[in-house]
Amino acid sequence: PDGGMIVAGNSKSNDGDVTGHHGTTAFTDGWVVKLSASHEIQWQVSLGGSADDQLSQLIHTTDGGYLCIGTTKSTDGDITNNHGGPDVWLVRLSDSGAIIWSKTYGGTRADEGVSVIQLSGSPVKYVLSATTASIDGDVHAADSSIDTNGWIVELDNDGNIIWETSIDQGG
């Protein structure tokens, strides 16, 4: 809306334009940078913990903030809970890049965040899509004999699960 742009990606850096990296630079952090209309950095934030953390998508929310989805292997830093193995990771940022909340979703096996949307209407809700190999934790797998299922999760504005379902991808 201000003519600038916002970019989400991943970085192993902790110098130059990238600051605040968690852990060692052997591991990836999610990185979000907000640019002005004249392409000047307005703010940037490194997100994650001491293990590999990656962002796959960022959306602009109706409140003017941002919602990032990705995958985390961390158990510290900006990651408040890990269910075991890689987890789906969702971070809600304010319009200035401050973390409003950071949550993980999944079970004890590999769970990877793919995309997120904000639903229209009130109250504010989000839907995330993911892949999951888990059959426990937040995941109620349709078929535990399948290696990987699709996973759809509806969330409230605070990132709490309203409902979830796994989808058998065959195998």
Side-chain angles (χ1 to χ4, degrees):
D2 64 1
M5 66 182 82
I6 190 160
V7 179
N10 305 296
S11 177
K12 290 185 175 183
S13 296
N14 199 24
D15 57 8
D17 293 326
V18 183
T19 61
H21 190 279
H22 300 80
T24 71
T25 54
F27 296 104
T28 305
D29 264 3
W31 188 52
V32 179
V33 60
K34 173 69 171 77
L35 302 170
S36 68
S38 60
H39 308 115
E40 301 290 325
I41 294 177
Q42 293 179 308
W43 55 262
Q44 65 84 41
V45 62
S46 291
L47 301 167
S50 60
D52 276 319
D53 310 299
Q54 298 185 354
L55 298 176
S56 56
Q57 184 194 23
L58 174 141
I59 64 169
H60 190 235
T61 56
T62 56
D63 66 357
Y66 305 95
L67 193 60
C68 308
I69 189 169
T71 304
T72 181
K73 293 181 181 176
S74 291
T75 59
D76 57 3
D78 299 323
I79 313 304
T80 56
N81 185 30
N82 186 292
H83 300 85
D87 279 346
V88 175
W89 177 38
L90 206 59
V91 182
R92 188 162 174 235
L93 301 173
S94 70
D95 61 350
S96 63
I99 295 174
I100 297 171
W101 50 257
S102 172
K103 297 202 176 188
T104 60
Y105 308 92
T108 55
R109 295 173 68 192
D111 312 296
E112 297 185 11
V114 177
S115 66
V116 65
I117 62 169
Q118 181 173 349
L119 299 175
S120 60
S122 181
V124 173
K125 295 180 187 175
Y126 308 103
V127 174
L128 68 82
S129 67
T131 60
T132 183
S134 294
I135 56 172
D136 57 2
D138 297 324
V139 182
H140 297 94
D143 185 346
S144 62
S145 68
I146 304 298
D147 287 336
T148 305
N149 287 311
W151 192 36
I152 307 296
V153 183
E154 182 179 20
L155 307 162
D156 67 17
N157 197 39
D158 295 319
N160 300 309
I161 295 175
I162 298 170
W163 64 261
E164 58 83 31
T165 188
S166 63
I167 301 165
D168 181 349
Q169 296 189 82

